[in-house]
Amino acid sequence: MNHFFDYKLCIVPLVLAFGLILTACGSDDDDGGSGATAVPNVNANSTAKGAEMTRTEVPHLADGNKLVLVKQTDAYGVNYIVEWDCDMVAQRWSCWEWDDSNSVSNWNRNNWTGATWQGVTWTGDPFQPDPDIPSQYRSELSDYSGSGYNRGHICASADRLCNQDVNGQTFYLSNMQPQVYGFNAGVWENMESQVRKWNTSTWRDTLWVCKGGTIYDVLLDGVEQTGVIETTRTRLPVPKYFFMALVAKKSGSYKGIAFWAQHETNDDDRLINYVITIDELEQRTGIDFFCNLPDNIEEGVESMNSPGSWGLQ
């Protein structure tokens, strides 16, 4: 049974866009090539901060003292995108797109010892501050030193192995959140491994991913509560929860899923226990995911509650 949301079966109302133009993301047609009517998304990002902001994986950008960091290479184009909160000295999310063209593996994390990159010969992983963030707003290696927290990748190193440049960019501290080891090497790593299993032609033509940790208040069961554990051992906010939101497109049809996990050591490796809908994730975090999809597609995938269609039991 096909559990993808196929908007081609939906009856959509005629919407007057008043000149609104929906920008296609990448090489994928948002109507799957069917010619069906796509309902423009009134909350879609504008191109004011760059054409990349209309890509499918990019959530709705927040107001305030924020930076949008587009990491890219000449060989593979956009690598991943980060929204950085300068006041919190933390990222709001990292997002990226996967397809056959950027899922190749030409580099290995183990290759870093003795490798030269950006004029430095590395003795191990190239963790470093992000040069695209002004020094007064960026996180530093010293923020993690002695804090008791790992530098937890959001876009994982193993997710970006196209070449040295692509992999190296995942080690910018802007792509990190403080994580306790038991979480980083536990349920978070299990989730990352599962997402990589979905990044095959069996599951997707294109897979869009957005991940992060909570740095603002969250809404749980209608009650607003803190989204951070502490800022005592490090000046960086330590997220109380981590999340992932995914949309897969296969043969013109879409499906979505989200993960939500408390930031703690947890031996429960049944990932189905962490599944929520993207709608639920939006309510908890206040982030509007996949806002650049046409509304009729976005509404279908974000309300979808079918972990079995992703092979989770």
Side-chain angles (χ1 to χ4, degrees), residues 277-295:
T277 67
I278 299 173
D279 275 340
E280 290 177 281
L281 183 57
E282 290 184 331
Q283 292 168 8
R284 295 181 184 190
T285 62
I287 300 173
D288 184 1
F289 298 96
F290 307 110
C291 67
N292 294 319
L293 282 173
D295 263 339

Side-chain angles (χ1 to χ4, degrees), residues 43-263:
N43 207 34
N45 290 319
S46 75
T47 58
K49 293 187 178 181
E52 296 87 357
M53 299 308 97
T54 62
R55 290 170 62 92
T56 300
E57 67 269 29
V58 181
H60 187 73
L61 301 181
D63 295 327
N65 193 15
K66 310 290 192 299
L67 294 174
V68 182
L69 310 168
V70 180
K71 303 304 179 184
Q72 53 192 324
T73 67
D74 291 340
Y76 290 95
V78 174
N79 189 7
Y80 66 93
I81 300 173
V82 171
E83 186 173 55
W84 185 259
D85 188 310
C86 295
D87 297 326
M88 297 290 288
V89 193
Q91 68 143 265
R92 192 172 177 232
W93 42 257
S94 290
C95 67
W96 64 95
E97 174 186 294
W98 255 325
D99 56 29
D100 287 343
S101 67
N102 64 6
S103 297
V104 296
S105 183
N106 298 316
W107 184 259
N108 187 295
R109 183 170 181 172
N110 296 328
N111 295 344
W112 281 110
T113 299
T116 299
W117 184 61
Q118 295 186 337
V120 177
T121 298
W122 299 90
T123 58
D125 292 333
F127 289 102
Q128 60 182 296
D130 192 325
D132 293 331
I133 302 176
S135 58
Q136 68 269 33
Y137 296 131
R138 73 189 185 196
S139 53
E140 303 284 351
L141 292 170
S142 59
D143 291 318
Y144 289 90
S145 179
S147 70
Y149 293 105
N150 288 174
R151 295 163 294 199
H153 278 77
I154 303 302
C155 179
S157 166
D159 293 348
R160 288 311 205 215
L161 300 175
C162 301
N163 63 15
Q164 184 189 48
D165 286 338
V166 166
N167 186 249
Q169 288 179 351
T170 69
F171 288 92
Y172 288 136
L173 294 182
S174 59
N175 183 45
M176 309 285 157
Q177 290 278 24
Q179 291 184 342
V180 295
Y181 174 79
F183 180 83
N184 186 22
V187 65
W188 188 248
E189 185 175 4
N190 291 340
M191 288 178 179
E192 291 178 327
S193 177
Q194 180 58 67
V195 172
R196 282 191 288 275
K197 292 176 183 177
W198 287 328
N199 182 38
T200 67
S201 57
T202 300
W203 292 95
R204 58 94 187 115
D205 295 327
T206 309
L207 180 64
W208 296 285
V209 182
C210 186
K211 297 161 55 178
T214 56
I215 61 172
Y216 311 128
D217 286 349
V218 297
L219 188 66
L220 297 179
D221 298 323
V223 178
E224 189 173 285
Q225 57 182 268
T226 181
V228 301
I229 296 174
E230 65 164 345
T231 56
T232 54
R233 284 180 285 172
T234 169
R235 70 186 176 117
L236 309 180
V238 180
K240 189 174 181 179
Y241 305 95
F242 281 87
F243 58 84
M244 302 185 182
L246 299 91
V247 168
K249 180 181 178 182
K250 178 71 174 177
S251 301
S253 296
Y254 295 75
K255 66 179 179 182
I257 193 171
F259 288 123
W260 174 267
Q262 187 159 346
H263 183 195

Side-chain angles (χ1 to χ4, degrees), residues 270-282:
R270 293 194 66 223
L271 295 186
I272 193 171
N273 293 332
Y274 302 94
V275 171
I276 61 175
T277 67
I278 299 173
D279 275 340
E280 290 177 281
L281 183 57
E282 290 184 331

Side-chain angles (χ1 to χ4, degrees), residues 11-29:
I11 300 175
V12 295
L14 179 64
V15 174
L16 297 179
F18 298 104
L20 179 65
I21 299 174
L22 183 68
T23 304
C25 300
S27 60
D28 286 278
D29 296 327

